[in-house]
């Protein structure tokens, strides 16, 4: 296939899959593990939370995830300040022994849009401390450029609000980001269905990160497979080079030799 | 002695180390991170880091998330 040597490279590390998936909101750990498996994803996000001290009976997420097989990408979900996000990343590195972090600093509970000022502040600190920072940010090329300039390993603009399933709301902004930014551009958040993922890839994005679109589907296992295929299809379509859009028809069958 | 453990006041044995605390709670040390008074305690220090009365201790791990 045309994608044989088409690796996604983040901070020097190579990945075959361009689909990254979250581990939240599944009905069970078994279902999550199956969805991860069929999605083909190699990078999966996790959250950092307090251990439940009073009830130790609950199973642990990592009983269902082989850390040798997957690259864990701990997030800073729920952090509203740079300080909280940095603290969470430091804890994540200690818990997981990896420098990869999905940095998000939220500005508002209703939209879950990023607070880009705090995000940049946190990213600067984390890059200095040797983290491989993948920041969730707005679909704003100026912000993405600032994040790239300070040393982020990728930029992850949102397609639409987290968990909204609204798809890629501003493909033109994503295109501008793609033309400007040299590090991988990964659409993070907003994907609702396989076609949304394919659109992101057809635009030329390096990858797509999603959670709710799979975990919240009526059949998460089937949706995980659909997403895997959509990412591959979208990537192939991008590489193949689409035809230009035209307003009027252009016949596919020859006009010569028509019966009189 | 009394400490704050994950936001809850808790009674733990005097002169416990971080390792003692995790053992008493049946928490495997490989999959957690521990912070005492906002400073991370590296795993290599769990056996020697002594906890003190009034310490604010956080024990965190990975859960499902996007």
């Amino acid at each position: 296939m045309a994608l044989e040597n088409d690796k996604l490279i983040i901070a020097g590390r190579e990945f075959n899959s361009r689909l990254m998936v979250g581990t939240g909101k599944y009905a069970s750990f078994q279902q999550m593990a199956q969805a991860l498996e069929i999605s083909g994803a190699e990078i999966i996000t996790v959250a950092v939370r307090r251990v439940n001290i009073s009830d130790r009976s609950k199973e642990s997420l990592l009983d269902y995830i082989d850390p040798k097989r997957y690259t864990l990408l701990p997030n800073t979900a729920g952090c509203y300040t740079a300080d909280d996000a940095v603290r969470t990343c430091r804890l994540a590195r200690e818990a997981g022994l990896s420098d990869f972090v999905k940095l998000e600093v939220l500005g508002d509970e209703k939209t879950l849009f990023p607070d880009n000022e705090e995000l940049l502040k946190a990213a600067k600190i984390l890059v200095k401390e040797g983290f491989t920072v993948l920041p969730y940010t707005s679909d704003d090329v100026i912000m993405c450029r600032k994040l790239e300039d300070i040393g982020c390993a990728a930029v992850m603009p949102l397609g639409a609000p987290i968990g909204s399933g609204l798809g890629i709301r501003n493909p033109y902004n994503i295109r501008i980001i793609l033309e400007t930014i040299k590090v991988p551009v990964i659409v993070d958040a907003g994907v609702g269905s396989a076609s949304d993922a394919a659109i992101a890839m057809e635009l030329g994005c390096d990858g797509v990160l999603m959670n709710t679109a799979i975990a919240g589907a009526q059949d998460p296992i089937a949706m995980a497979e659909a997403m895997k295929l959509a990412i591959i299809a979208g990537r192939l379509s991008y590489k193949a080079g689409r035809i230009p859009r035209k307003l009027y028809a252009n016949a596919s069958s020859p006009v010569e030799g028509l019966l009189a | 002695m009394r400490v704050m453990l994950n936001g809850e006041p808790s009674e733990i044995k005097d002169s416990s180390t971080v390792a003692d605390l995790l053992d008493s709670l049946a928490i495997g040390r490989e999959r957690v991170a521990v912070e005492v008074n906002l400073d991370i305690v590296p795993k290599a220090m769990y056996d020697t880091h002594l906890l003190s009365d009034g310490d604010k201790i956080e024990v965190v791990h990975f859960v499902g998330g996007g």
Side-chain angles (χ1 to χ4, degrees), chain B:
Chain B
M1 59 186 177
R2 291 197 57 83
V3 296
M4 283 295 275
L5 179 57
N6 283 3
E8 300 285 333
S10 305
E11 191 69 36
I12 64 169
K13 261 196 222 162
D14 284 357
S15 60
S16 291
T17 62
V18 170
D20 294 335
L21 175 67
L22 293 179
D23 287 348
S24 73
L25 296 166
I27 295 171
R29 62 173 77 184
E30 288 313 312
R31 295 171 174 184
V32 297
V34 178
E35 193 190 75
V36 178
N37 303 327
L38 295 177
D39 286 323
I40 287 178
V41 181
K43 286 192 202 304
M45 304 283 286
Y46 285 1
D47 288 312
T48 50
H49 187 106
L50 280 170
L51 297 167
S52 308
D53 193 56
D55 275 353
K56 290 193 174 68
I57 306 160
E58 297 285 349
V59 183
V60 302
H61 64 161
F62 292 138
V63 300

Coordinates of all heavy atoms in Angstrom, one line a residue, chain B:
Chain B
M1 N 0.4 9.5 63.8 CA 0.4 10.9 63.4 C -0.7 11.2 62.4 O -1.2 10.3 61.7 CB 1.8 11.3 62.9 CG 2.2 10.5 61.7 SD 3.9 10.9 61.2 CE 4.2 9.8 59.8
R2 N -1.0 12.5 62.3 CA -2.1 12.8 61.4 C -1.5 13.5 60.1 O -0.7 14.4 60.2 CB -3.1 13.7 62.1 CG -3.9 13.0 63.1 CD -5.2 13.5 63.6 NE -6.3 13.8 62.7 CZ -7.2 12.9 62.3 NH1 -7.0 11.6 62.5 NH2 -8.2 13.3 61.6
V3 N -2.1 13.0 59.0 CA -1.6 13.7 57.8 C -2.9 13.9 56.9 O -4.0 13.4 57.2 CB -0.7 12.7 57.0 CG1 0.6 12.5 57.7 CG2 -1.4 11.4 56.6
M4 N -2.7 14.7 55.9 CA -3.8 14.8 54.9 C -3.4 13.9 53.7 O -2.4 14.1 53.1 CB -3.9 16.3 54.4 CG -4.5 17.2 55.3 SD -6.3 16.8 55.6 CE -7.0 17.7 54.2
L5 N -4.3 12.9 53.5 CA -4.0 11.9 52.4 C -5.0 12.1 51.4 O -6.2 11.8 51.6 CB -3.9 10.5 53.0 CG -3.7 9.4 52.1 CD1 -2.4 9.5 51.3 CD2 -3.7 8.0 52.9
N6 N -4.6 12.5 50.2 CA -5.6 12.7 49.1 C -6.8 13.5 49.5 O -7.9 13.2 49.3 CB -6.0 11.4 48.5 CG -5.0 10.8 47.6 OD1 -3.9 11.3 47.5 ND2 -5.3 9.7 46.9
G7 N -6.5 14.6 50.3 CA -7.5 15.5 50.7 C -8.3 15.1 51.9 O -9.1 15.9 52.4
E8 N -8.0 13.9 52.5 CA -8.8 13.5 53.7 C -7.8 13.4 54.9 O -6.7 12.8 54.7 CB -9.3 12.1 53.4 CG -10.3 12.0 52.2 CD -11.7 12.6 52.6 OE1 -12.0 12.6 53.8 OE2 -12.3 13.1 51.6
P9 N -8.3 13.9 56.0 CA -7.4 13.7 57.2 C -7.3 12.2 57.5 O -8.3 11.5 57.5 CB -8.2 14.4 58.3 CG -9.4 15.1 57.7 CD -9.6 14.5 56.3
S10 N -6.1 11.7 57.8 CA -5.9 10.3 58.0 C -4.8 10.1 59.1 O -3.9 10.9 59.3 CB -5.3 9.6 56.7 OG -6.1 9.9 55.6
E11 N -5.0 9.0 59.8 CA -4.1 8.6 60.8 C -3.1 7.5 60.3 O -3.6 6.5 59.7 CB -4.9 8.0 62.0 CG -4.1 7.8 63.3 CD -3.7 9.1 64.0 OE1 -4.5 10.1 63.9 OE2 -2.6 9.1 64.5
I12 N -1.8 7.8 60.3 CA -0.9 6.8 59.9 C 0.2 6.5 61.0 O 0.3 7.4 61.9 CB -0.2 7.1 58.6 CG1 0.7 8.4 58.7 CG2 -1.2 7.3 57.4 CD1 1.6 8.6 57.5
K13 N 0.9 5.4 60.9 CA 1.9 5.1 61.9 C 3.0 6.1 62.0 O 3.4 6.6 60.9 CB 2.5 3.7 61.6 CG 1.8 2.6 62.3 CD 2.8 1.3 62.2 CE 1.9 0.1 62.0 NZ 2.7 -1.0 61.4
D14 N 3.5 6.3 63.2 CA 4.6 7.3 63.3 C 5.8 6.7 62.6 O 6.0 5.5 62.4 CB 5.0 7.4 64.8 CG 4.0 8.3 65.6 OD1 3.1 8.8 64.9 OD2 4.1 8.4 66.8
S15 N 6.6 7.6 62.1 CA 7.8 7.3 61.4 C 7.6 6.3 60.2 O 8.4 5.4 60.0 CB 9.0 6.9 62.3 OG 8.7 5.7 63.0
S16 N 6.5 6.5 59.5 CA 6.3 5.7 58.3 C 7.1 6.3 57.2 O 7.2 7.6 57.1 CB 4.8 5.8 57.9 OG 4.0 5.1 58.8
T17 N 7.6 5.5 56.3 CA 8.1 6.0 55.0 C 7.0 6.0 54.0 O 5.9 5.4 54.3 CB 9.2 5.0 54.5 OG1 8.7 3.8 54.3 CG2 10.4 4.9 55.5
V18 N 7.3 6.5 52.8 CA 6.3 6.5 51.8 C 6.0 5.0 51.4 O 4.8 4.6 51.2 CB 6.8 7.3 50.5 CG1 5.9 7.0 49.3 CG2 6.9 8.8 50.8
A19 N 7.0 4.2 51.4 CA 6.8 2.8 51.1 C 5.9 2.1 52.1 O 5.0 1.3 51.7 CB 8.2 2.0 51.0
D20 N 6.1 2.4 53.4 CA 5.2 1.9 54.4 C 3.8 2.2 54.2 O 2.9 1.4 54.3 CB 5.6 2.4 55.8 CG 7.0 1.9 56.2 OD1 7.4 0.8 55.7 OD2 7.6 2.6 57.1
L21 N 3.6 3.5 53.8 CA 2.2 4.0 53.6 C 1.6 3.2 52.4 O 0.5 2.8 52.5 CB 2.2 5.5 53.3 CG 0.9 6.1 52.9 CD1 -0.1 6.1 54.1 CD2 1.1 7.5 52.5
L22 N 2.3 3.1 51.3 CA 1.8 2.4 50.1 C 1.5 1.0 50.5 O 0.4 0.5 50.1 CB 2.7 2.6 48.9 CG 2.9 4.0 48.4 CD1 3.9 3.9 47.2 CD2 1.6 4.6 47.9
D23 N 2.4 0.3 51.2 CA 2.2 -1.1 51.6 C 0.9 -1.2 52.4 O 0.1 -2.1 52.2 CB 3.4 -1.6 52.3 CG 4.6 -1.8 51.4 OD1 4.4 -1.8 50.2 OD2 5.7 -2.0 51.9
S24 N 0.8 -0.3 53.4 CA -0.4 -0.4 54.3 C -1.7 -0.2 53.5 O -2.8 -0.7 53.9 CB -0.3 0.6 55.4 OG -0.5 1.9 54.9
L25 N -1.6 0.5 52.4 CA -2.9 0.7 51.6 C -3.0 -0.3 50.5 O -3.9 -0.2 49.6 CB -2.8 2.1 51.0 CG -2.9 3.3 52.0 CD1 -2.5 4.6 51.4 CD2 -4.2 3.4 52.7
A26 N -2.0 -1.2 50.4 CA -2.0 -2.2 49.3 C -1.9 -1.5 47.9 O -2.6 -1.9 47.0 CB -3.2 -3.2 49.4
I27 N -1.1 -0.5 47.8 CA -1.0 0.2 46.5 C 0.4 -0.1 46.0 O 1.4 0.1 46.6 CB -1.1 1.7 46.7 CG1 -2.5 2.1 47.2 CG2 -0.7 2.5 45.4 CD1 -2.7 3.6 47.6
G28 N 0.4 -0.7 44.8 CA 1.7 -1.0 44.1 C 2.4 0.2 43.7 O 1.8 1.2 43.2
R29 N 3.7 0.2 44.0 CA 4.5 1.5 43.8 C 4.8 1.8 42.3 O 5.1 2.9 42.0 CB 5.7 1.5 44.6 CG 6.7 0.4 44.3 CD 8.0 0.6 45.0 NE 7.9 0.2 46.4 CZ 8.9 0.4 47.3 NH1 10.0 0.9 46.9 NH2 8.8 0.0 48.6
E30 N 4.7 0.8 41.5 CA 5.1 1.0 40.1 C 4.1 1.9 39.4 O 4.5 2.7 38.5 CB 5.1 -0.4 39.4 CG 6.3 -1.3 39.8 CD 7.6 -0.5 39.8 OE1 7.8 0.2 38.8 OE2 8.3 -0.6 40.8
R31 N 2.9 1.9 39.7 CA 1.9 2.6 38.9 C 1.3 3.9 39.5 O 0.3 4.4 39.1 CB 0.7 1.7 38.7 CG 1.1 0.5 37.8 CD 0.0 -0.5 37.8 NE 0.3 -1.6 36.9 CZ -0.6 -2.6 36.7 NH1 -1.8 -2.6 37.2 NH2 -0.3 -3.5 35.8
V32 N 2.0 4.4 40.5 CA 1.5 5.6 41.1 C 2.7 6.7 41.2 O 3.8 6.4 40.9 CB 1.1 5.4 42.6 CG1 -0.1 4.4 42.6 CG2 2.2 4.9 43.5
A33 N 2.2 7.9 41.5 CA 3.2 8.9 41.8 C 2.8 9.5 43.1 O 1.6 9.6 43.5 CB 3.2 10.0 40.7
V34 N 3.8 9.9 43.9 CA 3.5 10.4 45.3 C 4.1 11.8 45.4 O 5.2 12.1 45.0 CB 4.1 9.5 46.3 CG1 3.8 10.0 47.7 CG2 3.5 8.1 46.2
E35 N 3.3 12.7 46.0 CA 3.7 14.0 46.2 C 3.5 14.3 47.7 O 2.5 14.0 48.3 CB 2.8 14.9 45.4 CG 3.2 16.4 45.2 CD 2.0 17.2 44.6 OE1 1.0 17.5 45.3 OE2 2.1 17.5 43.4
V36 N 4.5 14.9 48.3 CA 4.4 15.3 49.7 C 4.7 16.7 49.8 O 5.8 17.2 49.4 CB 5.4 14.5 50.6 CG1 5.3 14.9 52.1 CG2 5.2 13.0 50.5
N37 N 3.7 17.5 50.3 CA 3.8 18.9 50.5 C 4.2 19.6 49.1 O 5.1 20.4 49.1 CB 4.8 19.3 51.6 CG 4.3 18.7 52.9 OD1 3.1 18.5 53.2 ND2 5.3 18.4 53.8
L38 N 3.6 19.1 48.1 CA 3.8 19.6 46.7 C 5.1 19.2 46.0 O 5.3 19.6 44.9 CB 3.6 21.2 46.7 CG 2.2 21.7 47.0 CD1 2.2 23.2 47.0 CD2 1.1 21.2 46.1
D39 N 5.9 18.5 46.7 CA 7.1 18.0 46.1 C 7.0 16.5 45.7 O 6.6 15.7 46.6 CB 8.3 18.1 47.0 CG 8.8 19.6 47.1 OD1 8.7 20.3 46.1 OD2 9.2 20.0 48.2
I40 N 7.3 16.1 44.5 CA 7.3 14.7 44.1 C 8.4 14.0 44.8 O 9.5 14.4 45.0 CB 7.4 14.6 42.6 CG1 6.1 15.1 41.9 CG2 7.7 13.2 42.2 CD1 6.2 15.1 40.4
V41 N 8.0 12.8 45.3 CA 9.0 11.9 45.9 C 9.3 10.9 44.8 O 8.4 10.1 44.4 CB 8.4 11.2 47.2 CG1 9.5 10.3 47.8 CG2 7.9 12.2 48.2
P42 N 10.6 10.9 44.3 CA 10.9 9.9 43.3 C 10.8 8.4 43.9 O 11.0 8.2 45.1 CB 12.4 10.2 43.0 CG 12.6 11.5 43.6 CD 11.7 11.7 44.7
K43 N 10.5 7.5 43.0 CA 10.3 6.1 43.4 C 11.5 5.6 44.2 O 11.3 4.8 45.2 CB 10.0 5.2 42.2 CG 8.6 5.4 41.6 CD 8.3 4.3 40.6 CE 7.2 4.7 39.6 NZ 5.9 5.2 40.2
A44 N 12.7 6.0 43.8 CA 13.9 5.5 44.4 C 14.0 5.9 45.9 O 14.7 5.4 46.7 CB 15.1 5.9 43.7
M45 N 13.1 6.9 46.3 CA 13.2 7.5 47.6 C 12.1 6.9 48.5 O 12.0 7.3 49.7 CB 13.1 9.0 47.6 CG 14.1 9.7 46.7 SD 15.7 9.8 47.5 CE 15.4 11.0 48.8
Y46 N 11.2 6.1 48.0 CA 10.1 5.6 48.8 C 10.5 4.9 50.1 O 9.8 5.1 51.1 CB 9.2 4.7 47.9 CG 8.3 5.3 46.9 CD1 8.4 6.7 46.6 CD2 7.5 4.6 46.1 CE1 7.6 7.3 45.7 CE2 6.7 5.2 45.1 CZ 6.8 6.5 44.9 OH 6.0 7.1 43.9
D47 N 11.6 4.2 50.0 CA 12.0 3.4 51.2 C 12.6 4.3 52.3 O 12.7 3.9 53.4 CB 12.9 2.3 50.8 CG 12.2 1.2 50.0 OD1 11.2 0.7 50.5 OD2 12.7 0.8 48.9
T48 N 13.1 5.4 51.9 CA 13.8 6.2 52.8 C 13.1 7.5 53.2 O 13.4 8.1 54.2 CB 15.2 6.6 52.3 OG1 15.0 7.1 51.0 CG2 16.1 5.4 52.2
H49 N 12.1 8.0 52.4 CA 11.5 9.3 52.7 C 10.5 9.1 53.9 O 9.5 8.5 53.8 CB 10.7 9.8 51.5 CG 10.2 11.1 51.6 ND1 10.7 12.3 51.1 CD2 9.2 11.6 52.4 CE1 10.1 13.3 51.4 NE2 9.1 13.0 52.2
L50 N 10.9 9.7 55.0 CA 10.1 9.6 56.2 C 8.9 10.7 56.1 O 9.2 11.8 55.8 CB 10.9 9.9 57.4 CG 11.7 8.7 57.9 CD1 12.7 9.1 59.0 CD2 10.8 7.6 58.4
L51 N 7.8 10.3 56.5 CA 6.6 11.2 56.5 C 6.6 11.8 57.9 O 7.0 11.3 58.9 CB 5.3 10.4 56.2 CG 5.3 9.8 54.8 CD1 4.1 8.8 54.6 CD2 5.2 10.9 53.7
S52 N 6.0 13.0 57.9 CA 5.9 13.8 59.2 C 4.5 14.2 59.5 O 3.7 14.3 58.6 CB 6.7 15.1 59.1 OG 8.0 14.8 58.7
D53 N 4.2 14.4 60.8 CA 2.9 14.8 61.2 C 2.5 16.1 60.4 O 3.3 17.0 60.3 CB 3.0 15.1 62.7 CG 1.6 15.3 63.3 OD1 0.8 14.4 63.2 OD2 1.3 16.4 63.9
G54 N 1.3 16.1 59.9 CA 0.8 17.3 59.2 C 1.2 17.3 57.7 O 0.8 18.2 57.0
D55 N 1.9 16.3 57.2 CA 2.2 16.3 55.8 C 1.0 16.2 54.9 O 0.0 15.6 55.3 CB 3.1 15.0 55.5 CG 4.5 15.2 55.7 OD1 4.9 16.4 56.0 OD2 5.3 14.3 55.6
K56 N 1.0 16.9 53.8 CA 0.0 16.8 52.8 C 0.5 15.8 51.7 O 1.4 16.2 51.0 CB -0.3 18.1 52.2 CG -1.0 19.1 53.2 CD -1.6 20.3 52.4 CE -2.4 21.2 53.3 NZ -1.6 21.9 54.3
I57 N -0.2 14.7 51.7 CA 0.3 13.6 50.8 C -0.7 13.4 49.6 O -1.9 13.3 49.9 CB 0.5 12.3 51.5 CG1 1.4 12.5 52.7 CG2 1.0 11.2 50.6 CD1 1.3 11.5 53.8
E58 N -0.2 13.3 48.4 CA -1.1 13.0 47.3 C -0.6 11.7 46.6 O 0.6 11.6 46.4 CB -1.1 14.1 46.2 CG -1.7 15.4 46.7 CD -3.2 15.4 46.9 OE1 -3.9 14.5 46.4 OE2 -3.7 16.4 47.5
V59 N -1.5 10.8 46.4 CA -1.1 9.5 45.7 C -2.0 9.5 44.5 O -3.2 9.4 44.6 CB -1.3 8.3 46.6 CG1 -0.8 7.0 45.8 CG2 -0.6 8.4 47.9
V60 N -1.4 9.5 43.3 CA -2.2 9.6 42.1 C -1.8 8.4 41.2 O -0.8 7.8 41.3 CB -2.0 10.9 41.3 CG1 -2.3 12.1 42.2 CG2 -0.5 11.1 40.8
H61 N -2.7 8.1 40.3 CA -2.5 7.1 39.3 C -3.2 7.5 38.0 O -3.9 8.5 37.9 CB -2.9 5.7 39.8 CG -4.4 5.6 40.0 ND1 -5.0 4.4 40.1 CD2 -5.3 6.5 40.2 CE1 -6.3 4.6 40.3 NE2 -6.5 5.9 40.4
F62 N -3.1 6.6 37.0 CA -3.8 6.9 35.7 C -5.2 6.3 35.7 O -5.4 5.2 36.1 CB -3.0 6.3 34.5 CG -1.6 6.9 34.3 CD1 -0.5 6.2 34.0 CD2 -1.5 8.3 34.4 CE1 0.7 6.8 33.8 CE2 -0.3 8.9 34.1 CZ 0.8 8.2 33.9
V63 N -6.1 7.1 35.2 CA -7.5 6.6 35.0 C -7.8 6.9 33.5 O -7.1 7.6 32.8 CB -8.5 7.3 36.0 CG1 -8.1 7.1 37.4 CG2 -8.5 8.8 35.7
G64 N -9.0 6.4 33.1 CA -9.4 6.7 31.8 C -9.6 8.2 31.5 O -10.2 8.9 32.4
G65 N -9.2 8.6 30.4 CA -9.4 10.0 30.0 C -9.0 10.3 28.6 O -8.4 9.5 27.9
G66 N -9.5 11.4 28.1 CA -9.2 11.8 26.7 C -8.1 12.8 26.7 O -7.7 13.4 25.8

